[in-house]
C-alpha cells in the first residue's frame, strides 16, 4: 500500500515523463515545420506549438490555432508524402523487400 506522499510523487513523475515526451515531439514537429518554411511562434505562420501532459502522464501536443494558408501547406505536404508512399508500394509491390523497409520505416515513425 502506498502512502499519499508516494502516490503524489508517482503522479508527478508520470506527469513529468509525459511532459518531456510531448516536448520532444513538439520540438521535432517544430523542426519539420521549419524545414517547410513554417515559422513556429509567428502569428501569421504557426502561432503556438506546445508539449503538454495530462495529470495521468498522457502526453499530447497543443497545436494552437493555425492560419488557413499554413494548414493548406501542411495538407499539401501530407498528401504528397502519402502519394509517394503509395507510389513506392505500387512500384515495388507490397511483398518486395525494399517496400517492406519503407513500410516499416513509416510505421515506426507514426507510432513514435
Amino acid at each position: 500500500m502506498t502512502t499519499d506522499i508516494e502516490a503524489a510523487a508517482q503522479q508527478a513523475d508520470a506527469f513529468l515523463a509525459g511532459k518531456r515526451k510531448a516536448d520532444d515531439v513538439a520540438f521535432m514537429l517544430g523542426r519539420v515545420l521549419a524545414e517547410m518554411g513554417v515559422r513556429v511562434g509567428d502569428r501569421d505562420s504557426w502561432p503556438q506549438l506546445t508539449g503538454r501532459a495530462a495529470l495521468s502522464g498522457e502526453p499530447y501536443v497543443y497545436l494552437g490555432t493555425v492560419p488557413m494558408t499554413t494548414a493548406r501547406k501542411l495538407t499539401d505536404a501530407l498528401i504528397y508524402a502519402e502519394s509517394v508512399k503509395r507510389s513506392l508500394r505500387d512500384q515495388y509491390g507490397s511483398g518486395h523487400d525494399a517496400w517492406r523497409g519503407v513500410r516499416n520505416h513509416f510505421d515506426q515513425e507514426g507510432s513514435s
Side-chain angles (χ1 to χ4, degrees):
M1 185 162 119
T2 62
T3 65
D4 290 343
I5 293 172
E6 289 171 337
Q10 288 174 351
Q11 185 176 21
D13 288 345
F15 170 79
L16 291 174
K19 176 73 167 101
R20 273 191 302 274
K21 187 173 186 176
D23 284 341
D24 289 347
V25 171
F27 174 78
M28 290 172 54
L29 180 56
R31 295 300 313 140
V32 169
L33 291 170
E35 288 294 321
M36 295 174 58
V38 175
R39 296 172 312 279
V40 174
D42 180 355
R43 201 177 87 128
D44 295 328
S45 190
W46 197 300
Q48 189 176 9
L49 178 64
T50 309
R52 295 186 178 175
L55 289 177
S56 66
E58 181 68 28
Y60 64 97
V61 176
Y62 177 75
L63 301 176
T65 302
V66 180
M68 186 61 75
T69 54
T70 302
R72 283 190 180 130
K73 187 174 190 174
L74 185 57
T75 301
D76 290 345
L78 291 170
I79 289 170
Y80 177 77
E82 182 64 22
S83 172
V84 169
K85 181 178 160 184
R86 289 180 184 192
S87 175
L88 287 171
R89 183 187 63 219
D90 293 344
Q91 182 179 358
Y92 291 110
S94 59
H96 192 274
D97 287 339
W99 168 244
R100 254 194 298 268
V102 170
R103 188 184 67 220
N104 290 339
H105 172 75
F106 281 106
D107 289 344
Q108 290 170 358
E109 290 294 311
S111 64
S112 298

